[in-house]
Amino acid sequence: MKPLLSLSALIDQINERVGQAVKWLILLMVIISSLNASVRYAFNYSSNAWLEVQWYLFATVFLLCAGYTLLRNEHIRIDVVCGRLARPTQIWIDILGTIFFLFPMVILIMTLAWPMFMKSFTHLEMSGDAGGLIRWPVKLLIPVGFFLLLLQGISELIKKIAILTGDIPDPGEHGHHHHTAADGEAA
């Protein structure tokens, strides 16, 4: 189990770093949005490119932080029933949900998104709006973001199995794991 926990720690570190870096784009998005609105009202001028930059930044945050959100256990859950179940049952629900819902959905979206990105990239697709931006970079975010989510799903699956086998302690319903590769223990 130690090699798998080391892999899990590496995946956690990747998504942690991506999340910490990408969250600064929210500030940039707010600044651009404020400036865009100010220019539009003060000078009666608007730019499709700047509007699309806002959309691209939102897409970047949303897609690249999906794995980070799962790592932090901040994703949307419906715990009305599950929250009343015994902790081992909750862990099994997470394991089965990851295997039968998260993984197939992520793989399907990545499979469908890659050809869409490639077509956009090879044709150098541009926005249909006047002054709009090139489209392939934002379309690349879809398979990349879902790949990061897939990796985090693998990490969470490893950790849930390790909890059930007693290899790491259970952080509880709302905790997330930070374990070291050297000892496999939760920190």
Side-chain angles (χ1 to χ4, degrees):
M1 187 53 103
K2 275 193 172 187
L4 291 176
L5 287 170
S6 293
L7 173 63
S8 174
L10 175 63
I11 293 169
D12 289 355
Q13 187 178 42
I14 290 168
N15 273 311
E16 180 72 30
R17 286 187 178 172
V18 169
Q20 292 297 323
V22 170
K23 72 181 183 180
W24 286 100
L25 294 180
I26 296 169
L27 176 61
L28 182 60
M29 193 171 27
V30 168
I31 291 169
I32 290 172
S33 177
S34 299
L35 289 173
N36 211 13
S38 299
V39 167
R40 185 172 61 245
Y41 289 114
F43 302 107
N44 198 27
Y45 175 79
S46 183
S47 164
N48 286 330
W50 284 108
L51 288 173
E52 289 184 13
V53 165
Q54 290 173 228
W55 302 337
Y56 284 20
L57 289 171
F58 177 79
T60 302
V61 170
F62 181 81
L63 290 166
L64 296 187
C65 284
Y68 176 75
T69 303
L70 183 58
L71 167 66
R72 293 291 180 172
N73 199 23
E74 298 288 332
H75 54 290
I76 296 173
R77 303 177 69 99
I78 302 174
D79 287 337
V80 174
V81 175
C82 190
R84 298 172 191 240
L85 300 173
R87 187 66 180 136
T89 304
Q90 292 175 356
I91 293 170
W92 272 108
I93 289 171
D94 283 347
I95 288 170
L96 295 173
T98 298
I99 293 169
F100 293 109
F101 294 102
L102 179 68
F103 288 164
M105 183 260 323
V106 166
I107 291 168
L108 176 67
I109 291 173
M110 285 174 25
T111 302
L112 295 173
W114 188 254
M116 181 180 69
F117 155 70
M118 287 304 297
K119 181 179 178 185
S120 180
F121 179 74
T122 57
H123 292 107
L124 297 176
E125 178 185 5
M126 293 294 294
S127 168
D129 297 323
L133 303 176
I134 193 163
R135 290 280 191 218
W136 71 261
V138 77
K139 289 186 177 183
L140 177 60
L141 293 172
I142 300 167
V144 170
F146 278 91
F147 179 70
L148 289 169
L149 182 58
L150 176 66
L151 288 177
Q152 194 59 46
I154 292 167
S155 175
E156 297 304 313
L157 184 62
I158 291 168
K159 290 183 280 193
K160 297 296 183 194
I161 292 169
I163 290 169
L164 288 177
T165 60
D167 288 300
I168 61 173
D170 184 357
E173 293 178 19
H174 303 293
H176 65 280
H177 297 280
H178 288 291
H179 50 80
T180 62
D183 60 13
E185 294 293 322

